[in-house]
């Protein structure tokens, strides 16, 4: 961690913030009221029933949700005020993922154990891939800030091309992960029910 801190402070700060968010996600279920816990449990059971029924109605919604998340992050990276909003959006998505995992473990009697990795793995992969974009967005936003306010000489055209290329690659990867999350996982999951 000391080496990361010395070479890349932004990455080290992101890792610390993500670690704290995961810790908060682990502790929050203690504070959640029982009716909210029941609602989350019902959502998990509905998801499992959708796999049993081979329902793929959510593919379009999942693609739109994930792609709009990525495009929003990318656009916020172009602005100077985007830094706190980018962090807030990503950390809230991470927190929801941690909470879903905790509630899957809590409701292990109602959910097939083998389905937990099928449910949570695509979400984790999307978070990991989007972390690359988060880092690049924050970095690009900081470069813009340095150029505008500190009058640093930064090759902004090259950085913009690099940022655009990363955004396109991440968008394609997220599209594929969304298809895997909604279509392929349900096809594989049916064998374990």
């Amino acid at each position: 961690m000391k080496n990361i801190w010395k070479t890349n402070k932004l990455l080290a700060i992101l890792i610390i913030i993500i670690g704290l968010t995961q810790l908060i996600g682990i502790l929050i279920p203690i504070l959640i009221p029982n009716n909210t816990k029941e609602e989350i449990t019902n959502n998990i059971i509905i998801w499992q029933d959708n796999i049993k029924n081979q329902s793929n109605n959510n593919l379009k919604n999942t693609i739109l949700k994930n792609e709009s998340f990525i495009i929003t992050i990318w656009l916020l990276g172009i602005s100077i005020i985007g830094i706190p909003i980018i962090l807030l959006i990503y950390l809230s998505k991470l927190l929801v993922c941690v909470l879903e995992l905790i509630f899957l473990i809590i409701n292990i009697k109602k959910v097939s154990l083998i389905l937990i990795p099928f449910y949570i793995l695509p979400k984790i992969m999307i978070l990991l891939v989007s972390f690359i974009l988060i880092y690049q967005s924050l970095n690009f936003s900081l470069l813009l800030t340095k150029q505008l306010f500190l009058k640093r000489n930064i090759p902004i055209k090259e950085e913009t091309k690099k940022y655009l290329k990363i955004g396109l690659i991440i968008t394609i990867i997220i599209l594929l992960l969304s298809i895997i999350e909604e279509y392929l996982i349900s096809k594989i999951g049916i064998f374990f029910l």
Side-chain angles (χ1 to χ4, degrees):
M1 188 70 168
K2 287 181 182 178
N3 291 337
I4 292 174
W5 185 259
K6 288 177 183 175
T7 58
N8 196 334
K9 289 182 182 176
L10 177 62
L11 184 60
I13 291 169
L14 274 175
I15 291 171
I16 290 168
I17 291 172
I18 287 171
L20 289 173
T21 303
Q22 289 174 340
L23 182 63
I24 291 168
I26 291 169
L27 297 175
I28 281 182
I30 298 167
L31 306 172
I32 291 178
N34 285 337
N35 58 348
T36 306
K37 289 179 183 177
E38 289 172 17
E39 187 178 328
I40 293 170
T41 302
N42 289 338
N43 287 341
I44 291 168
I45 292 168
I46 289 169
W47 170 77
Q48 187 168 300
D49 289 342
N50 284 343
I51 289 178
K52 285 179 187 175
N53 300 330
Q54 291 289 300
S55 174
N56 292 318
N57 297 334
N58 294 328
L59 181 60
K60 184 179 177 182
N61 291 336
T62 300
I63 290 171
L64 285 173
K65 179 184 72 173
N66 290 335
E67 290 296 337
S68 63
F69 167 68
I70 292 301
I71 291 167
T72 302
I73 295 299
W74 189 87
L75 289 173
L76 286 169
I78 297 172
S79 69
I80 295 169
I81 59 165
I83 294 172
I85 302 169
I86 290 169
L87 283 173
L88 185 67
I89 292 171
Y90 183 73
L91 294 176
S92 62
K93 197 167 180 78
L94 176 67
L95 187 62
V96 167
C97 185
V98 171
L99 286 172
E100 285 177 338
L101 179 60
I102 297 297
F103 278 100
L104 280 170
I105 293 168
I106 289 171
N107 294 298
I108 201 77
K109 293 176 185 172
K110 297 178 183 176
V111 179
S112 174
L113 178 63
I114 199 77
L115 284 179
I116 292 176
F118 285 109
Y119 181 79
I120 210 72
L121 192 62
K123 295 176 186 304
I124 291 172
M125 289 171 63
I126 287 169
L127 282 170
L128 288 173
V129 170
S130 58
F131 176 79
I132 297 166
L133 184 64
I134 297 294
Y135 173 74
Q136 293 298 326
S137 296
L138 293 173
N139 198 28
F140 190 74
S141 192
L142 288 171
L143 286 175
L144 289 175
T145 305
K146 287 177 185 176
Q147 185 177 19
L148 288 173
F149 297 112
L150 302 176
K151 304 299 183 200
R152 299 246 175 103
N153 191 13
I154 297 168
I156 205 70
K157 274 190 177 180
E158 292 173 20
E159 293 296 330
T160 305
K161 285 180 186 176
K162 177 181 159 189
Y163 186 59
L164 181 61
K165 192 183 297 184
I166 288 169
L168 288 172
I169 292 168
I170 300 287
T171 302
I172 292 167
I173 293 171
I174 292 296
L175 176 65
L176 295 173
L177 287 175
S178 298
I179 293 168
I180 289 169
E181 179 182 3
E182 280 302 322
Y183 185 72
L184 191 61
I185 295 298
S186 64
K187 296 290 184 195
I188 294 170
I190 195 72
F191 293 112
F192 298 105
L193 288 174

